[in-house]
Amino acid sequence: MEETYFVIHNSDGDTHVEQISKSVLLNRLDENYYGKVNALKSIKETDTNYWGENILIIKGKIVTPQAEEVIVKNKID
């Protein structure tokens, strides 16, 4: 199974998040799909409007919290 990457970038004030494979990401970077950008090494500014011509690449997977049922039982002596 190929590794999954998330690419976060800003274009015309809109933030885009894509989930893509490693091979697609490498092809896009080689062909300047995102323009002449740099990859961020850390998140110093949370507002993507201030990232300039930079993208954020995250390797991983989406996780979803699962509800856990907890039963409370009262007891007295």
Side-chain angles (χ1 to χ4, degrees), residues 2-75:
E2 197 165 14
E3 297 167 316
T4 300
Y5 291 81
F6 297 89
V7 179
I8 304 168
H9 58 100
N10 189 304
S11 175
D12 298 323
D14 295 325
T15 301
H16 303 274
V17 179
E18 301 175 287
Q19 179 180 351
I20 57 179
S21 66
K22 181 177 184 176
S23 60
V24 170
L25 175 58
L26 289 173
N27 285 337
R28 286 184 176 185
L29 292 173
D30 288 345
E31 66 186 26
N32 289 325
Y33 178 88
Y34 302 102
K36 294 188 180 222
V37 297
N38 293 312
L40 294 173
K41 294 182 180 184
S42 64
I43 302 172
K44 294 180 180 160
E45 177 59 60
T46 58
D47 186 342
T48 59
N49 288 309
Y50 296 102
W51 287 7
E53 298 299 320
N54 295 304
I55 61 175
L56 179 64
I57 302 170
I58 301 171
K59 178 180 173 181
K61 64 180 184 174
I62 294 175
V63 295
T64 306
Q66 301 296 317
E68 186 174 317
E69 187 173 337
V70 180
I71 298 173
V72 177
K73 183 176 178 182
N74 294 304
K75 172 180 141 179

